[in-house]
Amino acid sequence: LPQEAVSREDFLVALMKTMGAKSVPSVQKTRFADDYELDENCKGYVEVAYSLGIIDGTFESDGLHFYPKKSITLAEASIMINNIIGAKADNILPTFKDDNEIPSWASEDISILCDLGILQKENGKINPNRFLTKEQVSQILMSLLKYRGKLEE
């Protein structure tokens, strides 16, 4: 269903495939304490993403967590995307009516991705803490492909 929320692991795999990941090693166990929650076919992507700095996880008392089944927010997705493309802010970045809702750790990435046209404002807002739906993820990944095409021209 297009309005269904997308999990963190599903977003990561879709993002990596969109960016050209063809094959990842088979991994029995990742470095994450919540590894048991990961789908078997996602473990290789998660491990590669960690080693490349695309994700870093959250430290809890029992170790590093990825929270694979948790729905992904726009703020979380923006970090993963920009960790892959590595875009830097070289001009005045967009502002949003809901700037105060943007987590400090995602602020620059969200602004950069909006400036590049990968993320879109809605009525001047970015809604950084909303869970992304399948439809929204599809739109973001299509915008990312368009951006990537511009880079390769």
Side-chain angles (χ1 to χ4, degrees):
L1 297 168
Q3 298 309 313
E4 188 178 328
V6 175
S7 71
R8 291 170 49 85
E9 71 182 342
D10 288 343
F11 178 80
L12 177 65
V13 171
L15 173 62
M16 290 178 71
K17 286 181 176 180
T18 297
M19 294 306 291
K22 299 262 186 287
S23 63
V24 295
S26 177
V27 173
Q28 298 300 312
K29 183 162 176 32
T30 66
R31 68 191 70 232
F32 292 97
D34 54 356
D35 173 85
Y36 63 92
E37 291 183 29
L38 281 161
D39 287 345
E40 290 299 317
N41 61 341
C42 294
K43 289 185 179 189
Y45 287 96
V46 169
E47 196 62 24
V48 167
Y50 182 85
S51 67
L52 294 175
I54 298 167
I55 59 171
D56 56 11
T58 303
F59 280 103
E60 301 291 350
S61 60
D62 62 340
L64 193 60
H65 285 253
F66 177 60
Y67 301 109
K69 302 298 184 210
K70 190 176 150 229
S71 297
I72 194 161
T73 66
L74 180 78
E76 293 166 339
S78 69
I79 296 288
M80 290 182 195
I81 294 167
N82 206 31
N83 281 346
I84 289 180
I85 65 173
K88 302 284 183 234
D90 57 10
N91 54 0
I92 297 169
L93 293 173
T95 56
F96 311 96
K97 289 180 182 174
D98 55 352
D99 273 337
N100 61 326
E101 294 178 27
I102 300 174
S104 58
W105 46 264
S107 180
E108 186 175 1
D109 291 315
I110 287 173
S111 293
I112 289 168
L113 296 178
C114 273
D115 190 48
L116 296 175
I118 295 168
L119 299 180
Q120 308 296 324
K121 291 183 188 182
E122 295 171 17
N123 301 316
K125 294 183 174 186
I126 196 64
N127 301 309
N129 301 306
R130 73 171 185 251
F131 294 123
L132 293 179
T133 64
K134 288 180 178 180
E135 180 179 18
Q136 291 164 331
V137 167
S138 295
Q139 291 168 345
I140 290 168
L141 295 179
M142 286 301 295
S143 295
L144 189 56
L145 284 172
K146 287 178 189 167
Y147 169 76
R148 189 171 165 217
K150 287 179 193 167
L151 281 183
E152 293 172 357
E153 285 174 4

